Amino acid sequence: MSNTNSLILEGVNLKKTYKLGRSQVPVLRGASLQIHQGQWTTILGSSGSGKSTLLHLLGGLDRPDQQGGEVLFNGESVWAKSNRQINTYRNNHVGFVFQFYHLLPELTVLENAFLPTMIGGSFTSKSEAKNQAKRLLDQFGLSHRFAHRPRELSGGERQRVAIARALVNNPSILLADEPTGNLDEETGNGILDVLGALHQEGLTIVMVTHNMEIANRGDVIVHLRGGNIAQLD
Amino acid sequence: MYQTLLTSRYLTSRVIPLIAVAAVALCVALVIVVVSVMTGFLDMVQSSGKTLMGDVIISNGIAGIPHYEKLANRLEKNEQVLAATPIVDGWGLLRMPYPDSNVKQSETVQVWGIEPESFAKVTDFKNSLQWKNPTTNQRDWLLLDAVSNNEETIQSLLNPEQWIEFVELINSASHTLNFVEANLWENTKALLNEEQWNAVLSFDVRLSGEDALQQQGLELSRNGKPGIVLGLHVNDGNRRMKNGTYQVSRNDYWWAPRFEGTLTMLPVDAEGGIIEPESIIMPFVNEFQSGVFTIDESLIFIPIDVAQSLLHMDEASIVDLDDPAKIIGVDPARSTSILIRGVPGIDGEVLREIVSTIYDEFSSSFSYETIVLPPLSHDPGLIIQTREEQQRSFTGPVKKEREVMRTLFSIVYLVVAALILSIFWSIVFEKTRDIGILRSIGASRASIVWIFLQYSAVIGIAGSFLGLFSGWLIIKNINAIHDAMGNPPLSIAIICFALAICTGAYTVVKMLSGQMLPIVLGSLGFITLSGVGGLILFIRYIGGIVVWDASVYYFSRIPNELDWGSSLFTVGGAILFCLLGALIPAAKAADTDPVKALRHE
């Protein structure tokens, strides 16, 4: 395992409550966890345990409750930042991979992959950004698919495009929410192999799953039960 | 910019933008067509009164303006005045000569005594005259009248055998009342030698004279006798057809220029009492049409000197009351008003000020020894008005009507706006998931709104201008479209039925497969096509539908001018509502948490 010492992302006593009609449903009741540089953390929990919510809070997509804890990225509170800085955080520092791929159907594979570079990022030229996207797609075996639309791709291919998109701005962390949940086992394993290879290269990964077997791919498994972190392996 | 990339992809890779452009275009075209036709209609009503009025009018009621010729001369010397013409305005009773008794025989008419030459300069009198030359049928009536009125002269010109043949010819023609069949003109010409034929033609100048009928109208006289020009609807024998043309009843039997009428007017003395009514029999020399029904049904023109004499406004001697034989002066002829036309483009208000100044100069130019002085400009009764002021009682209601229509149209605008809003609302709603994706990869809220602003601006501008263009096309061809609707071609019905059969067959085939969408679409297509075909057959069966009934509106054609002002307003409004329609839901979507937006399916 490469450099596991430096702390990069930290969730401190995270609380999140959803309104369901008139009742308040607490999803997270004070979950805390620490992500270290180069670590592959898997968050394991059953359906409804709040594992996706935890990932959304960490990725800056969803806001914790008032006084519902903090997300610290490199020691700085994410949710204390301005809207603009949160946008930069989503665009530049974390990469998200979703269960349902969430590619834009009107854009080609290549355009989907380099879309985040058009929104922000550190690339100085468009061609440089495009080359980065092409390199990632090449790496994931999609070089023949650049001009295709997402609907022409298989599920595994779409998820690989989504991973390329998540990584195109060289984020510090890849956040994956059940990345294999919509795929058959063989294709899912292919995706996990891709993640494994990226991890080998030193990428920090946080992955949510309900599958113990998949969770075992990670270095650290976090069990989430009843909105709390149950056990650290 | 990724916003532009996304906008262009949204526009090009889906059907919805096309539907939205079409919807916006239809809405814009609808409003433009309706507003343009309505505005055009009201403008026609408003401007039709211009035909027979000057730009400014001076009037002094029944008391009249003495020395009016001097005033007219003074006015015409001004560079801003094109022409001035005196009018003697009064009411009278016109006994119509209808030979049949089941129609109104006397008409109450407004009588204008005019100086035809100067009146034609001030107004559009010449073009308002209905008859330039008689039609073949009308000419044959004139021929029949001429020979009936000059029987003895003709008999003296013909030898006995010719005369018997001639009488037979005339009798048979007058019995059938069908001159084309009887070939009256050619047969008469063939029967007579050149000298005899020329003698017959000389009975009535209208038989051979080029534009003689129009000339008589312009001179208000026939064979040196003063004549009457009737408003087209004064004569009940004129019937307006649905296509806007006129037909004289009973095969031109009641054609006004064949007849003469008795005009009675009521002169009023200085105390307002009625003096002995005066009557005169005059030929009808022509008819006019101003386009305003109330004018055309009640106004007649006669020469000004006839009107002055009927109303006792002509020149008279002033006698010493103690010694009636001793003439002490002259009471000059009077006119009730003077119509003034300014040079083209002059503003009515400006011209009125000029006319007022000239009138003051005129009224103060007489020496105190003059017995009859014209009224001063501030005297009660003397009015100097622009045409707009003069016509206010007539145009006022029309203007109010236009206001009411504008108000009603603003409701149409609201409906269109709501439609555009809802279209965009659903477009953006459908894209909520995309918005969630973009937010999750770091797009700002403002940039999300910007995408949909661009998107809707393109749809709004394209749709609005397409609508403007279609509206313009429809307006320019509205009369052709209307005629086609009134008389739809059979070929279209046949094509509809053929297509309906194809669609029906397709539907039946698809029914076997059990798929619902082709069945629904096919059935709808079948019903629509056969319905349109059936409707066309029905319209043809009942002889066509006339929506714009010219016999009701008194305008033969639907106005076909685009109202550019309100059209551009509509285009601007449509674009604005497209932007609003996209802005509001886009802003709402941009504010949604990305997670919630992503969950949106």
Side-chain angles (χ1 to χ4, degrees), chain A residues 88 91-93 114-130 132 167-172:
Chain A
T88 309
N91 178 251
N92 232 328
H93 301 307
F114 76 81
L115 186 62
T117 68
M118 298 176 82
I119 293 172
S122 51
F123 293 98
T124 48
S125 76
K126 196 178 171 181
S127 60
E128 198 187 325
K130 232 177 206 174
Q132 163 77 348
L167 296 177
V168 75
N169 268 342
N170 296 315
S172 313

Side-chain angles (χ1 to χ4, degrees), chain B residues 69-92:
Chain B
E69 298 100 330
K70 285 179 185 157
L71 176 57
N73 284 339
R74 264 177 191 274
L75 286 164
E76 283 184 343
K77 273 181 196 141
N78 189 287
E79 282 173 359
Q80 303 296 313
V81 175
L82 206 63
T85 188
I87 301 281
V88 171
D89 186 356
W91 290 89

Side-chain angles (χ1 to χ4, degrees), chain B residues 249-268:
Chain B
S249 299
R250 284 190 63 195
N251 203 19
D252 291 327
Y253 181 64
W254 281 351
W255 189 47
R258 293 183 59 212
F259 301 108
E260 51 189 26
T262 311
L263 177 66
T264 307
M265 293 191 79
L266 301 177
V268 178

